Amino acid sequence: MKRTLVLGGTTEASALARSLAAAGADAIFSYAGRTEAPVAQPLPTRIGGFGGVAGLVDYLRAENIGAVVDATHPFAAQMSRNAIAACALACVPLLGLERPAWVAGIGDSWSHVDSIEAAVQALPEAPARVFLAIGKQNLTGFAAKPHHYLLRLVDAPESPPLPDCTVILARGPFDAASDKALLVQHDISHIVAKNAGGAGAEAKLIAARALGLPVILIDRPSLPTRQVVGAVAEVLAWLGHSADLGV
Ligand code: 3Y8
Ligand code: NAP
């Protein structure tokens, strides 16, 4: 019996895991191991990198994987690129489960930048109070600007990531009311975020709209062409076409 490998780490991946478990599918869920205690999944779970493309090819063969669903975050570009290469080499079907990028609506004051460095440049020169909701990777560049930073991280950092910052620990998904209260409580003037899409990270943008705050949004990296769907039901249908997957 062929197994399905789910590359996880997002709200959509967790929803897919619940559907696959309910369908009695033979599937395994994969985390990178970026957080100390990731949310438990209702599927057998592996944690840690595969060891690049070659390691993933070996894994696909050794575990008799018949299909891969890449439900990783849009900014997990290296994992997605590796999955495209490894599935091509191992001749294993690959499907991306991806949420659409956010699009500004009425009342939004967003500026789009194409990198973390461009986000730093887009911040004002005069001191501001910035909600940096981009996790704990790639923070050092923001020290170049004299701002107070509010950081929301999943795990406590070993040392303060920036000279003038407040760290709060939270895993999300988040809600707009709480994020609005957070922005007011910390007297935030600017928000920096990744264009992650999805509902789990959108709360801060809804809160920013309500408060009329500017948002600097970092574009998601581009990926090589691959088959992509936007809903769990489409993944289940795709897996259903491979009858031997038993889904
Ligand atoms: C380890 C698994 C679920 C998944 C929940 C989603 C929603 C909450 C929003 C903010 C933004 C941020 C960050 C964020 C969100 C969901 C989703 C999402 C953003 C967990 C998880 C893992 C990670 C890794 C972590 C990164 C960091 C990014 C925090 C689990 C909770 C900022 C991305 O400490 C670190 O090194 C953290 C690293 C990659 C980005 C970064 O560069 O630092 N996610 N997030 C996954 C693994 O090991 O494979 O711990 O349970 C998953 C979720 N994070 O099941 O409901 O689907 O987007 N995660 C961003 O979008 O900007 C927080 O605060 O508003
Ligand atoms: P990345 O930069 O694209 O990947 C770096 C390396 O981490 C990969 O080459 C792979 O290692 C390993 N890896 C990544 N995702 C994996 C997975 N699901 N299972 C097994 N190994 C994985 O990844 P990232 O941006 O650090 O994201 C790591 C995890 O956090 C992913 O699960 C992602 O969905 C989740 N996440 C990321 C963000 C974000 O902003 N980046 C936001 C929310 C959630 P090997 O090369 O050794 O195989």
Side-chain angles (χ1 to χ4, degrees):
M1 175 74 76
K2 293 274 189 182
R3 307 187 81 183
T4 297
L5 171 63
V6 177
L7 301 175
T10 58
T11 302
E12 290 73 15
S14 298
L16 174 61
R18 287 192 292 275
S19 296
L20 289 171
D26 180 8
I28 185 160
F29 193 94
S30 181
Y31 277 125
R34 292 301 312 273
T35 54
E36 285 163 10
V39 164
Q41 295 294 340
L43 291 174
T45 299
R46 64 171 299 289
I47 298 181
F50 296 97
V53 173
L56 181 50
V57 169
D58 292 345
Y59 180 85
L60 296 175
R61 290 172 174 156
E63 294 297 320
N64 194 28
I65 301 295
V68 175
V69 180
D70 177 0
T72 59
H73 190 276
F75 280 73
Q78 190 57 59
M79 184 70 258
S80 295
R81 290 187 188 113
N82 286 3
I84 292 166
C87 287
L89 287 169
C91 300
V92 173
L94 167 69
L95 182 69
L97 173 57
E98 193 175 88
R99 60 264 186 125
W102 292 312
V103 175
I106 307 287
D108 286 329
S109 53
W110 296 359
S111 50
H112 296 272
V113 294
D114 61 6
S115 68
I116 296 268
E117 297 71 27
V120 177
Q121 297 312 316
L123 284 169
E125 294 306 317
R129 295 180 61 81
V130 181
F131 178 31
L132 258 190
I134 55 171
K136 75 177 179 192
Q137 303 173 83
N138 315 306
L139 290 177
T140 48
F142 290 93
K145 291 276 177 87
H147 303 321
H148 176 78
Y149 291 106
L150 173 63
L151 304 176
R152 179 154 65 186
L153 305 177
V154 178
D155 299 315
E158 296 79 22
S159 57
L162 288 166
D164 179 7
C165 69
T166 301
V167 175
I168 52 174
L169 300 181
R171 164 167 272 113
F174 305 99
D175 71 273
S178 307
D179 274 10
K180 184 178 174 187
L182 182 72
L183 297 175
V184 170
Q185 178 192 346
H186 290 270
D187 190 22
I188 296 300
S189 61
H190 295 74
I191 291 164
V192 177
K194 297 174 178 174
N195 198 332
E202 191 179 19
K204 56 190 174 286
L205 304 181
I206 297 167
R209 181 184 307 141
L211 296 169
L213 296 180
V215 175
I216 295 168
L217 210 51
I218 303 165
D219 295 338
R220 55 179 62 175
S222 60
L223 289 175
T225 309
R226 63 184 180 155
Q227 190 181 356
V228 177
V229 295
V232 167
E234 294 173 278
V235 177
L236 297 178
W238 182 77
L239 289 171
H241 287 311
S242 318
D244 64 341
L245 290 175
V247 171

